[in-house]
């Protein structure tokens, strides 16, 4: 995909250069304090970049490292506009989902009489995403947007595969936090599409598999929030499939994999399919057991293991396997009671106490049932 600026077509007499770059160049030429040496350096740099190629950082500030609100952003969710709409009569623009929660314009306070679509603005936002956050591939010397090919005939891509991915995930997280789930799902869908395309030419790169597994898990979260359990399960299972291919040395991969499996288990549990739920919980438990064996000094892994033991034991109890359940609860308690945390791990200690209280309540409940049963 070419890294052409989507606004280059609006430039006149500057060879298709991004108008932001053109404006900067004009400003420099009018500055009497700019010396000849600076101009020559800029000319050399422009030759290196090419006439219609944007630099790594977006001139508007929309990149994966520094993000600022601008005319293409929704002031409510603080992400790029999705399903752009304007409230009338003040004509301020927001995402449709975001502004639909208000009766008065959050910017000016005017009564909202109706909400109208802004299709032209949304088209601009979409072009912006394609042009300023697209995976950048090395262009050939003919400048036709073709990829560079090595001696073996393999396409060589610049090492910026997650530049667009990081950008889209950033936008999705902003939208998700603001409860604009459709926007988050759309951005994550584009990110997953890009990574899949990269995987076709990089032969199952571990890094890309890890990235795709994480993004698919986030797509599952979006579907779950929208009440679409079937699609959520599909994404979580696909996430687990990609992450299962990877070596379990990376604790982040271990965590994401076990969480995806647990989330499928949760959905099956709530749907009443206890046996299926137990299968997924047990798979997650096995992943976490292995992680604790290899990283026994990592406190968070021990707490995760106890959590998985509790989930499996809870299902066992509901399936009528009381003795198995009690053994699972006791093992989890032993894990947490043997875990010693220092004062700098207050958050983990809070989580440890929460899980431990749940486990002790489960054991107390069993004791009460046994003592009240007839002799």
């Amino acid at each position: 995909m070419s890294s052409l600026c989507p606004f280059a077509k609006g430039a006149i007499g500057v060879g298709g250069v991004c108008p932001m770059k053109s404006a900067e160049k004009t400003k420099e030429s009018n500055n009497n304090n700019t010396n000849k040496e600076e101009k020559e350096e800029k000319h050399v740099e422009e030759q290196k970049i090419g006439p219609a190629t944007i630099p790594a950082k977006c001139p508007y500030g929309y990149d994966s490292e520094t993000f600022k609100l601008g005319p293409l952003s929704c002031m409510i969710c603080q992400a790029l506009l999705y399903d752009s709409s304007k409230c009338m009569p003040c004509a301020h623009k927001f995402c449709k989902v975001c502004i639909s929660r208000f009766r008065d314009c959050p910017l000016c306070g005017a009564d909202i009489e109706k909400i109208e679509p802004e299709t032209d603005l949304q088209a601009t936002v979409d072009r912006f995403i394609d042009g300023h956050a697209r995976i950048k591939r090395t262009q050939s010397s003919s400048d036709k947007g073709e990829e560079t090919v090595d001696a073996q005939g393999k396409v060589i891509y610049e090492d910026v595969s997650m530049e667009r991915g990081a950008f889209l995930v950033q936008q999705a997280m902003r939208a998700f936090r603001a409860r604009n789930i459709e926007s988050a799902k759309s951005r994550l869908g584009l990110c997953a599409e890009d990574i899949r395309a990269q995987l076709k030419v990089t032969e199952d790169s571990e890094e890309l598999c890890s990235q795709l597994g994480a993004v698919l898990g986030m797509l599952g979260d979006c579907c779950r929030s929208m009440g679409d359990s079937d699609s959520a399960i599909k994404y979580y299972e696909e996430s687990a499939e990609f992450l299962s291919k990877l070596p379990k040395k990376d604790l982040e991969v271990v965590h994401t994999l076990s969480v995806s499996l647990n989330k499928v288990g949760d959905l099956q549990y709530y749907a009443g399919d206890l046996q299926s739920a137990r299968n997924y919980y047990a798979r997650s438990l096995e992943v976490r057991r292995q992680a604790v064996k290899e990283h026994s000094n990592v406190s968070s892994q021990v707490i995760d293991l106890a959590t998985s033991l509790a989930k499996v034991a809870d299902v066992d109890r509901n399936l009528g396997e009381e003795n198995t359940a009690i053994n699972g609860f006791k093992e989890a308690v032993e894990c947490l009671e043997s875990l010693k945390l220092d004062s700098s791990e207050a958050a983990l200690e809070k989580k440890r106490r929460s899980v431990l209280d749940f486990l002790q309540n489960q054991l107390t409940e069993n004791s009460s049932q046994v003592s009240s049963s007839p002799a």
Side-chain angles (χ1 to χ4, degrees):
M1 175 60 65
S2 170
S3 57
L4 295 179
C5 171
F7 300 100
K9 294 181 180 179
I12 300 176
V14 291
V17 179
C18 171
M20 285 298 293
K21 290 178 64 180
S22 177
E24 291 173 359
K25 184 176 179 181
T26 301
K27 183 177 179 180
E28 289 178 4
S29 66
N30 294 330
N31 189 343
N32 295 327
N33 295 325
T34 302
N35 56 42
K36 183 178 180 180
E37 181 179 350
E38 289 176 337
K39 289 182 179 180
E40 290 177 351
E41 289 178 355
K42 182 172 180 61
H43 177 68
V44 172
E45 185 63 26
E46 286 178 348
Q47 285 184 328
K48 291 180 180 179
I49 293 175
T53 307
I54 60 170
K57 292 187 179 297
C58 169
Y60 290 157
Y62 291 93
D63 60 68
S64 61
E65 295 180 3
T66 58
F67 177 83
K68 63 183 180 182
L69 297 178
L72 305 183
S73 303
C74 171
M75 299 301 291
I76 299 174
C77 68
Q78 299 188 353
L80 287 175
L81 288 161
Y82 178 79
D83 198 4
S84 303
S85 303
K86 62 181 177 182
C87 50
M88 301 300 291
C90 66
H92 285 128
K93 297 156 181 75
F94 309 91
C95 301
K96 183 178 180 180
V97 169
C98 295
I99 193 59
S100 295
R101 306 187 190 116
F102 292 81
R103 294 183 179 180
D104 302 326
C105 175
L107 283 180
C108 68
D111 292 341
I112 299 176
E113 297 178 2
K114 61 179 179 177
I115 298 174
E116 297 181 351
E118 269 284 356
T119 54
D120 289 344
L121 178 58
Q122 188 58 53
T124 301
V125 173
D126 294 340
R127 287 176 54 226
F128 179 86
I129 293 174
D130 281 340
H132 282 259
R134 176 64 65 181
I135 293 175
K136 305 176 185 65
R137 297 177 179 139
T138 304
Q139 292 186 344
S140 65
S141 58
S142 61
D143 196 27
K144 294 181 180 180
E146 299 174 356
E147 298 89 348
T148 301
V149 181
D150 66 8
Q152 286 74 38
K154 294 182 178 180
V155 177
I156 302 174
Y157 294 91
E158 291 184 25
D159 189 20
V160 289
S161 59
M162 276 305 291
E163 181 69 20
R164 173 174 161 92
F167 174 87
L168 291 169
V169 169
Q170 178 197 64
Q171 298 301 304
M173 292 178 68
R174 286 171 177 264
F176 191 88
R177 285 194 296 265
R179 295 181 292 118
N180 190 346
I181 310 301
E182 291 182 3
S183 174
K185 184 182 176 185
S186 173
R187 306 311 184 205
L188 291 169
L190 289 174
C191 184
E193 178 185 324
D194 281 351
I195 300 175
R196 289 184 197 278
Q198 285 289 287
L199 278 171
K200 290 181 179 179
V201 297
T202 54
E203 299 178 354
D204 287 342
S205 158
E206 289 185 5
E207 182 181 2
L208 290 176
C209 283
S210 175
Q211 293 165 357
L212 183 56
V215 170
L216 290 170
M218 296 171 74
L219 278 166
D221 291 340
C222 290
C223 292
R224 187 176 183 179
S225 297
M226 297 169 73
D228 187 356
S229 297
D230 291 340
S231 294
I233 289 174
K234 176 183 175 182
Y235 281 122
Y236 289 140
E237 287 181 334
E238 191 176 5
S239 169
E241 179 184 348
F242 276 99
L243 295 173
S244 296
K245 300 176 182 178
L246 304 175
K248 304 305 183 290
K249 296 179 181 179
D250 188 337
L251 289 180
E252 185 175 346
V253 170
V254 170
H255 179 75
T256 307
L257 172 58
S258 60
V259 167
S260 289
L261 292 170
N262 273 339
K263 286 179 177 178
V264 179
D266 290 343
L267 290 171
Q268 299 289 14
Y269 184 95
Y270 298 138
D273 191 346
L274 297 182
Q275 191 58 58
S276 178
R278 192 192 188 286
N279 291 339
Y280 282 102
Y281 288 152
R283 287 175 60 189
S284 176
L285 174 59
E286 184 57 33
V287 171
R288 289 178 170 176
R289 280 192 192 280
Q290 189 61 38
V292 169
K293 287 181 181 179
E294 297 180 3
H295 306 278
S296 57
N297 60 329
V298 181
S299 302
S300 60
Q301 296 302 309
V302 177
I303 296 176
D304 284 347
L305 173 60
T307 302
S308 281
L309 284 166
K311 283 179 173 290
V312 173
D314 183 55
V315 177
D316 284 335
R317 171 171 283 175
N318 282 280
L319 289 171
E321 301 291 337
E322 187 64 23
N323 290 335
T324 304
I326 293 301
N327 290 335
F329 287 134
K330 287 182 177 179
E331 184 183 353
V333 169
E334 291 173 2
C335 287
L336 295 178
E337 288 182 340
S338 64
L339 181 61
K340 306 301 180 183
L341 300 173
D342 57 42
S343 57
S344 65
E345 299 176 294
L348 281 177
E349 174 60 20
K350 183 178 180 180
K351 184 176 181 180
R352 187 188 77 89
R353 287 300 325 171
S354 176
V355 177
L356 187 57
D357 289 344
F358 169 80
L359 293 167
Q360 290 172 339
N361 287 336
Q362 296 303 308
L363 292 173
T364 302
E365 178 182 325
N366 174 71
S367 300
S368 299
Q369 290 176 350
V370 171
S371 62
S372 62
S373 62

